[in-house]
Amino acid sequence: MKAHVWVMPKSTVLDPQGQTIERALTSLGYARIQNVRQGKFFVLDLDGLSREEATQQVERIAKEVLTNPVIEQFRFEILD
């Protein structure tokens, strides 16, 4: 079983990396691309856990280790 975890800056937080990427895309001719946000993606291998245990552990790991809850939000999915 695997977990995919996406971590993104909250919508109320400025994203200077996303803004830099957006400016680079514009300079490369992709002027219609707007509001770029840059985040993180994690893949966790989960061995020997039930789906319920995996869900609980991944949520706890995301909250306590992978994100800064003041400025970031996360979502995840468990894959068989």
Side-chain angles (χ1 to χ4, degrees):
M1 191 177 327
K2 291 185 184 281
H4 289 175
V5 182
W6 292 265
V7 177
M8 296 294 294
K10 289 182 177 179
S11 61
T12 56
V13 174
L14 292 177
D15 182 3
Q17 290 174 317
Q19 292 171 344
T20 300
I21 294 166
E22 184 177 337
R23 284 191 298 274
L25 289 170
T26 299
S27 72
L28 292 170
Y30 299 102
R32 292 185 178 198
I33 304 296
Q34 297 178 350
N35 300 320
V36 176
R37 306 287 286 173
Q38 192 256 330
K40 301 177 273 191
F41 176 70
F42 300 92
V43 177
L44 307 175
D45 285 328
L46 310 168
D47 191 25
L49 299 175
S50 70
R51 191 167 199 53
E52 184 177 325
E53 290 171 320
T55 299
Q56 291 172 354
Q57 284 194 16
V58 169
E59 184 162 5
R60 186 172 179 188
I61 289 167
K63 284 180 180 177
E64 295 178 4
V65 179
L66 302 179
T67 64
N68 175 345
V70 174
I71 62 169
E72 295 174 317
Q73 59 192 9
F74 70 91
R75 73 176 177 88
F76 67 91
E77 67 180 357
I78 307 294
L79 307 167
D80 291 323

